[in-house]
Amino acid sequence: MSARTATLRDAVGLGLAVGLYGVAFGAAADAAGLDVWQALVLSALMFTGASQFALVGVLGAGGSGLAAIGSALLLGTRNTVYGVRLAPLLAPRGVLRRVGAAHWVIDETTAMAVAAPDRELGRLAFWVTGATIYVGWNLTTVLGALGASGLGGTAQAALDAVVPAAFLALLWPRLQRTSPEAVVQRRVAVGGAVVALLLTPVVPAGVQVVAAVVAVALAGRPRHEEAVR
């Protein structure tokens, strides 16, 4: 099997698997009170799973729109770092290609592009993964929202578990690694959870998520003495 064929296989396979996950977002959006078209607009224009789940999770818990947007923006800042890493690799020409590339900079497309054996295959992996996930994510968002609308009261109540389960599914593979970076990630995850749990009884819904993200971000900054070394 050629490197190009293997790259296409992996990109499409990952794209299909991740795209199917849009069903969970559609169901979570419906549980939070969003209409089908609102869920679809979020998937089409925001297109970054963790931020989407954060937004509907805060809204579903009764949080304000400002808190929901703040949570989504904070979680989405990592895509900026990805963009800096991918810019020289992709080097898109023209406004449309630049906008399209920026819109598809997410965890999966970055991982596929960076892992490719050379620049040409990296570009191929990025675009194929992005296109596959984008189409699948939006289609399954609609299916999830429509399916949730037809459920009874008991099943609707069960959807409250969708958002935390989705976050855990996104986080769990990172926490199982044994590298030094993974040890730090586990500490950060536990620290963020502790901050969020302690603040939940005393702050409006959604504020604890923002505070947890800020806390772990500050904790992860290198100390001045270490930075000098």
Side-chain angles (χ1 to χ4, degrees), residues 7-8 14 47 57 60 62 122 125 135 150 177 179 183 192 198-199 203:
T7 298
L8 285 171
L14 178 63
F47 189 55
V135 173
R177 298 172 185 171
S179 63
V183 175
L198 290 176
L199 290 179
V203 299

Side-chain angles (χ1 to χ4, degrees), residues 14-29 36 38-54 56 78 103-104 106-108 129-145 162 166-167 170:
L14 178 63
L16 290 175
V18 175
L20 291 174
Y21 199 54
V23 172
F25 172 71
V36 174
Q38 292 173 317
L40 180 58
V41 167
L42 280 176
S43 284
L45 299 182
M46 184 179 287
F47 189 55
T48 174
S51 294
Q52 291 180 230
F53 278 112
V56 299
R78 72 192 189 285
H103 194 47
W104 285 359
I106 54 176
D107 298 328
E108 294 79 12
T129 304
T132 307
I133 294 177
Y134 188 78
V135 173
W137 183 268
N138 282 279
L139 288 176
T140 55
T141 291
V142 174
L143 293 177
V162 168
F167 270 116
L170 289 170

Side-chain angles (χ1 to χ4, degrees), residues 71 74-75 192 208-218:
S71 299
L74 283 172
L75 287 172
Q208 70 272 43
V209 177
V210 178
V213 172
V214 172
V216 298
L218 292 175

Side-chain angles (χ1 to χ4, degrees), residues 10 15 21 33 51 56 61-62 69 79 86 97 108 118 120 123 134-135 138 141 156 169 178 181 203 208:
D10 294 343
Y21 199 54
S51 294
V56 299
I69 293 172
N79 293 339
L86 290 177
R97 288 182 68 86
E108 294 79 12
D118 57 51
E120 180 182 354
R123 291 175 174 176
Y134 188 78
V135 173
N138 282 279
T141 291
Q156 286 282 358
T178 57
E181 292 81 3
V203 299
Q208 70 272 43

Side-chain angles (χ1 to χ4, degrees), residues 6 12 14 22 27 55 77 88 96 104 132 149 170 186 188 199 201 205 210:
V12 172
L14 178 63
L55 189 145
T77 53
L96 291 180
W104 285 359
T132 307
S149 299
L170 289 170
R186 282 193 288 270
V188 168
L199 290 179
V210 178

Side-chain angles (χ1 to χ4, degrees), residues 2 24 82 90 92 120 123 178 180 187 190 202 206 221:
S2 68
Y82 296 161
L90 299 176
E120 180 182 354
R123 291 175 174 176
T178 57
R187 292 175 180 172
V190 171
V202 295
R221 293 174 58 189

